[in-house]
Amino acid sequence: MTALFNFQSALLVLLLLVCTCAYCHQLFPALMDRKKESPLWGPLWKCARVGERLSPYVSICCVIFAVRLFIGA
């Protein structure tokens, strides 16, 4: 089953995208800020903003998913 048809997997992919974009924005802020209007970089820039502004909630979601994967539920 692909991640598009499984709700938990889709949430995990979205969470990993937000975390990755926030990390890349921290490393290369000028690159992402300069291209935030483009069709490819725009959504990635928005994911980075969500990751930066909601970082406590994103961290809690990461911990919840890690515990669920560790338990195997």
Side-chain angles (χ1 to χ4, degrees):
M1 187 179 287
T2 65
L4 296 176
F5 299 117
N6 188 353
F7 184 68
Q8 183 177 356
S9 297
L11 282 177
L12 184 62
V13 167
L14 182 66
L15 183 65
L16 290 174
L17 178 70
V18 166
C19 292
T20 303
C21 289
Y23 181 73
C24 290
H25 186 262
Q26 181 183 4
L27 290 178
F28 309 110
L31 177 69
M32 290 185 84
D33 286 341
R34 183 178 24 172
K35 298 184 178 185
K36 65 183 175 184
E37 301 293 327
S38 72
L40 174 67
W41 290 94
L44 297 178
W45 180 82
K46 289 177 185 175
C47 287
R49 283 291 162 216
V50 167
E52 291 170 355
R53 292 183 180 173
L54 298 176
S55 61
Y57 300 112
V58 171
S59 300
I60 289 170
C61 289
C62 286
V63 169
I64 289 171
F65 272 104
V67 168
R68 288 196 64 164
L69 287 174
F70 181 72
I71 292 174

